[in-house]
Amino acid sequence: MKLIDKRVLVDGTGPDNPSNFCHVVFFGDMHVDEDGYDPAVIESVIESLKTLPNAIGICVGDVFSLANQRTRKQIRAALETSVGGETAQDLLDKMVRRRVDELTGLFDPVREKLLVFILGNHSWATQDGQYSDQLLSKSLNVPFCEGMAAIRLTLGTKPARKKKGDPGPQTCRVHIVAHHGIGGGMGSTIGGDLNSLTKRASHFDSDIFAAGHSHMLYAMPTRSRLVFGNHSRFMVHERNGWVARCGSAVRAYGENSSYAEKMAMAPATLGYVIFKVWIKRVKDPINKTDVRLPGIDGRVVVIKD
């Protein structure tokens, strides 16, 4: 598990001013080496990271498709023969590194906004033991996570006071769990996928639980729960979490038959997820005092033809 502490300064509290928001952009399952890969998805992700106030990006895995966990060893075992003095492994490693270089150039303008790359179930492992997703994260100087990322996002207002009596800095925390995801993939129904993800999210004390893998795209609030405290005081308030599947950048059907087509799976929804979070000031219903809690709102960005 990768623990990540991130602090973001916003202009103020409440949802009235766009600069009061932190925007968390979740994307993944890009599969850039597939025939059906659509660069419009990554282009839109990068544009969102560039233009949205206080934006941070989280990749939930499967940047490439070259091999999955089951076939990686089989492919490596078949690559013992040499080609012109180089092994087939050498040639594949070079090909992967070229694609990594291309993606590095694409993401370079927003590298400082990228928080973590999470390993998916599709990734090539080079001879020196590095995954293709890991090579990309290393090239961009972004943290890499092989399993689950637990993120403590602290929002804080800028500390300057204009005059005596003005409120000091306001803070609140948002807990995010991000994982590539497991399960039946694109063969699931939307209801089955949502039910599976919600059950998995219930194991964790998170405000946002985001995953990829199924190529589905949604952001859904879960049922409210009664919470006793806001990290600093004993109180009671109702709070709901969110679950999200983070879409895909690869079309399942096209000129060349894909795995999804051969298995008659549903077409993937191209797009990604954006959460905006802010500091919300509410009245404690029992103690009648002002407290600061996170406001959260999730939406999907669908990339259309």
Side-chain angles (χ1 to χ4, degrees):
M1 178 180 286
K2 187 83 171 178
L3 301 180
I4 300 173
D5 236 333
K6 176 68 175 178
R7 184 177 178 87
V8 175
L9 286 178
V10 295
D11 280 353
T13 62
D16 299 330
N17 185 345
S19 60
N20 292 351
F21 294 124
C22 171
H23 292 85
V24 187
V25 180
F26 292 93
F27 62 99
D29 291 283
M30 297 179 287
H31 300 283
V32 299
D33 48 346
E34 289 271 8
D35 290 328
Y37 163 64
D38 191 335
V41 178
I42 294 183
E43 291 168 3
S44 181
V45 167
I46 292 172
E47 185 64 21
S48 292
L49 289 171
K50 283 182 177 179
T51 59
L52 291 174
N54 307 309
I56 56 177
I58 297 171
C59 178
V60 295
D62 278 4
V63 177
F64 299 92
S65 286
L66 186 57
N68 61 32
Q69 293 172 344
R70 288 178 296 180
T71 61
R72 197 178 295 129
K73 291 182 179 179
Q74 296 171 344
I75 293 175
R76 187 175 289 112
L79 297 182
E80 296 300 327
T81 57
S82 63
V83 181
E86 288 185 297
T87 67
Q89 168 93 46
D90 292 327
L91 297 174
L92 281 172
D93 285 1
K94 286 183 177 180
M95 180 194 72
V96 168
R97 290 180 187 275
R98 283 196 298 269
R99 296 306 298 266
V100 166
D101 289 343
E102 293 171 7
L103 286 174
T104 299
L106 195 60
F107 279 110
D108 186 67
V110 294
R111 70 164 68 205
E112 293 184 358
K113 295 177 179 287
L114 296 171
L115 197 59
V116 65
F117 278 86
I118 297 170
L119 180 66
N121 65 308
H122 288 268
S123 185
W124 181 245
T126 60
Q127 290 189 79
D128 58 1
Q130 296 188 84
Y131 295 107
S132 46
D133 303 53
Q134 187 176 8
L135 291 172
L136 178 60
S137 66
K138 186 177 181 180
S139 179
L140 290 165
N141 197 27
V142 174
F144 174 70
C145 173
E146 289 194 30
M148 178 178 291
I151 301 153
R152 182 172 64 178
L153 175 62
T154 302
L155 301 184
T157 57
K158 296 174 181 178
R161 291 189 178 191
K162 295 181 180 178
K163 62 181 184 296
K164 187 178 180 179
D166 284 352
Q170 312 289 299
T171 62
C172 75
R173 287 175 178 164
V174 180
H175 291 101
I176 299 170
V177 173
H179 188 272
H180 176 63
I182 58 175
M186 291 183 290
S188 303
T189 63
I190 292 177
D193 186 86
L194 176 59
N195 187 43
S196 173
L197 190 63
T198 302
K199 286 180 178 179
R200 202 168 299 278
S202 68
H203 303 323
F204 306 95
D205 182 18
S206 61
D207 298 299
I208 300 171
F209 187 95
H213 188 62
S214 72
H215 292 206
M216 293 190 184
L217 181 63
Y218 56 80
M220 181 76 67
T222 58
R223 294 189 67 176
S224 295
R225 63 191 189 277
L226 201 61
V227 178
F228 300 95
N230 71 331
H231 307 292
S232 63
R233 69 175 65 185
F234 188 42
M235 57 170 288
V236 60
H237 63 94
E238 295 178 9
R239 189 165 172 176
N240 66 271
W242 286 75
V243 294
R245 288 283 193 187
C246 302
S248 175
V250 63
R251 299 181 184 277
Y253 291 83
E255 182 178 353
N256 297 313
S257 298
S258 66
Y259 173 78
E261 180 179 338
K262 291 173 182 176
M263 298 298 291
M265 290 179 171
T269 303
L270 302 192
Y272 55 100
V273 173
I274 298 176
F275 280 94
K276 59 182 181 182
V277 297
W278 67 96
I279 302 171
K280 181 172 62 174
R281 301 187 68 177
V282 299
K283 186 75 73 174
D284 180 350
I286 295 178
N287 298 321
K288 309 301 181 186
T289 55
D290 284 339
V291 294
R292 289 158 298 284
L293 301 172
I296 302 174
D297 188 23
R299 66 181 177 93
V300 301
V301 179
V302 178
I303 305 301
K304 300 180 180 179
D305 293 328

